[in-house]
Amino acid sequence: MPELPEVETYVRELAPVLSGRQVIGAQVLWPRTIAAPAPANFVAQIRGQRFHSFGRRGKYMLLGLESGLTLIVHLRMTGHLLLMPPGAAPDKHMHVVMALDDGRNLVFQDTRKFGRLWLVSELGPVLDHLGPEPLDGSFMLDDFVQRLAGRKAAVKALLLDQTIVAGVGNIYADEALFAAGIHPTRSGGSLSRAEAARLQQAIQNVLAAGIARAGSSLGGSALQNYVRPGGEQGEFQAEHNVFQRTGKPCPTCATPVERIVLAQRGTHFCPHCQR
DNA sequence: ATAAGGCCCTGACCGC
DNA sequence: TGCGGTCAGGGCCTTA
C-alpha cells in the first residue's frame, strides 16, 4: 500500500518525465475518483495545463501546474498513477485518463476505487489537517511527546492518525515500532520520553530506508499492489523485519513474529523484542 | 476531545 | 468447476 516512501518515489520518478508536459485532454471514467471540483469542471480546467512543479505532503502527491492550480493525488490502497505509452491497452480499473502532448497518457488506475484526485488553487482545505512532515525537520520531539501524552489509544493506532505525524501507514508503523522495541498495543500516553524519542527516530529511519529502496511492493498482482509509475516494483519489502512475516523468526531473537488486529489493521510484531 | 466502528470497493482466497 | 462468504485497509463519517 502506498505510504510516504511510495508516494515520494512516485514524485521523484514522475518529475523528470512530466515536467513541461501539457495535458491536452482528460476523461473521467469513475466520477467519484474526483474529489474536487465536479468531474466536468475537472476535465475543463485541466485541459491545456502544463506540469511545472512536483512535491509531496504526507501521502498526498502534489503536481503543480503552470497556471498555479495543483493536481493533488492520493493513491489510498490500490491506486496507481501510471505513465502509459501511446496505444497501451485500456483496462477497467483506469478511472481517469489524461492525454499528454507527447502522445502518452497519465492514467489514474485503482482497483478498489478508494483513491482520490483534486484540482485546486488552494492546498489548505485538503492538507491542513495533517500533522508534521516526518523527514523535513518539522517533526519535533517535544511536539510528538505532547501529542501522545494522555492518549489511551494504542500507539500503533496513533501512528496511523495523520494528524499526529503525516505519511505513516500500516507497513511503516509496524516496522518503526519494531525498530524502537515498542509493543504496538501500548497506549500512547504510556510511552516515556526516551521511548518516544526512539520511536521518532525509528519512524524517520524506516521512512528514509523505504525511500532509498523505492518503496515496498508486496506479493500479488500489480493491480492490487504498489508499483512505480513505469510499472516496476519497489525493493523495501526485502528489508521488512515484521510486516507480513507472521510466524517467521524475528531477525533479532528468532521468536516467531505475531499478528494481531489493532484498530482494524493487521499488526505484526515480535513479542520478545517489543515491550 | 477521544475512541470505536461502519463504510466505500473488488480481487484473492478458502471451503464445500 | 463453481459458488458463496470472508478478508484486506486509508481516510472520512457517525455514534457514544
Side-chain angles (χ1 to χ4, degrees):
Chain A
M1 53 218 88
E3 306 178 23
L4 186 153
E6 290 75 25
V7 177
E8 180 67 24
T9 300
Y10 259 87
V11 171
R12 291 183 182 190
E13 298 192 353
L14 283 173
V17 289
L18 272 189
S19 187
R21 294 269 66 81
Q22 188 177 35
V23 178
I24 60 173
Q27 272 184 292
V28 175
L29 302 160
W30 183 261
R32 295 187 64 160
T33 298
I34 308 297
N41 294 337
F42 177 92
V43 169
Q45 288 172 26
I46 202 160
R47 188 181 303 121
Q49 298 281 340
R50 208 175 274 281
F51 289 102
H52 172 71
S53 62
F54 301 84
R56 178 192 56 72
R57 176 78 170 95
K59 304 177 196 173
Y60 294 79
M61 217 181 306
L62 310 176
L63 307 180
L65 302 159
E66 231 166 34
S67 64
L69 290 175
T70 303
L71 176 64
I72 306 179
V73 180
H74 197 303
L75 302 172
R76 293 273 184 98
M77 298 294 302
T78 56
H80 302 93
L81 191 61
L82 302 172
L83 199 59
M84 308 205 64
D91 78 64
K92 62 176 177 174
H93 304 297
M94 296 178 177
H95 307 314
V96 180
V97 178
M98 289 165 274
L100 303 177
D101 59 352
D102 62 358
R104 291 187 290 187
N105 287 322
L106 184 64
V107 174
F108 182 74
Q109 178 204 49
D110 187 7
T111 306
R112 299 233 174 110
K113 299 178 173 173
F114 288 177
R116 291 292 181 265
L117 274 62
W118 296 254
L119 184 62
V120 296
S121 54
E122 295 293 331
L123 303 181
V126 182
L127 303 181
D128 275 354
H129 68 285
L130 293 171
E133 190 62 32
L135 296 179
D136 75 353
S138 63
F139 185 29
M140 311 299 284
L141 180 58
D142 285 344
D143 176 66
F144 188 46
V145 167
Q146 205 157 22
R147 288 174 193 262
L148 297 176
R151 297 294 297 264
K152 290 181 179 171
V155 62
K156 162 74 183 274
L158 296 176
L159 290 183
L160 299 178
D161 179 345
Q162 301 298 296
T163 69
I164 291 182
V165 57
V168 176
N170 211 30
I171 299 171
Y172 296 90
D174 282 4
E175 293 297 324
L177 286 165
F178 173 80
I182 295 170
H183 198 286
T185 61
R186 293 268 307 275
S187 68
S190 74
L191 267 63
S192 68
R193 185 179 176 85
E195 287 174 322
R198 286 213 309 273
L199 183 54
Q200 180 204 25
Q201 190 60 57
I203 290 167
Q204 293 173 321
N205 290 347
V206 297
L207 292 175
I211 292 170
R213 300 294 298 274
S216 301
S217 294
L218 298 164
S221 70
L223 280 181
Q224 293 282 327
N225 289 296
Y226 160 77
V227 292
R228 291 148 66 181
E232 309 89 348
Q233 302 229 320
E235 298 177 338
F236 189 64
Q237 64 280 2
E239 292 179 30
H240 290 177
N241 289 311
V242 288
F243 190 76
Q244 289 194 357
R245 293 180 48 81
T246 309
K248 294 183 177 166
C250 165
T252 304
C253 73
T255 301
V257 169
E258 282 187 20
R259 180 184 188 276
I260 58 174
V261 175
L262 197 51
Q264 277 101 252
R265 302 293 180 264
T267 297
H268 313 75
F269 66 100
C270 171
H272 180 259
C273 295
Q274 294 176 253
R275 297 294 177 174

